[in-house]
Amino acid sequence: MARYLRLDEAASELAKLLAENCKRRRADLAISQAELAERTGIAASHISLIEQAKANPTLEVLEDMAKGLQTTVVALLAAHTNP
């Protein structure tokens, strides 16, 4: 019998990490996806998909998101460890 792959299973660990870091940084700045879209020129729907780990942004989009979130691409892709 065919097994259907769920979207959350398809997302890579890096995509999940990026999604978590983007959401966390946006929350830290207290801005909405709509406001981030205005800052970056990236469609809010695309930002939503990235934050759900359902889309993989291009390097250009990733750079624009980092600028809009006042951080670096490296920080958006970095694993955070709790002390």
Side-chain angles (χ1 to χ4, degrees), residues 17-18 20-29 31 36 39-40 51 59-78 80:
L17 183 62
L18 173 63
E20 179 182 313
N21 289 342
C22 286
K23 285 187 278 191
R24 180 184 300 123
R25 182 64 184 150
R26 203 170 45 74
D28 290 346
L29 295 173
I31 61 172
L36 181 57
R39 290 182 179 195
T40 61
E51 288 189 356
L59 291 174
E60 184 177 352
V61 168
L62 192 54
E63 287 177 331
D64 290 343
M65 286 189 67
K67 286 178 189 173
L69 292 169
Q70 301 170 0
T71 191
T72 65
V73 170
V74 172
L76 290 179
L77 296 174
H80 296 279

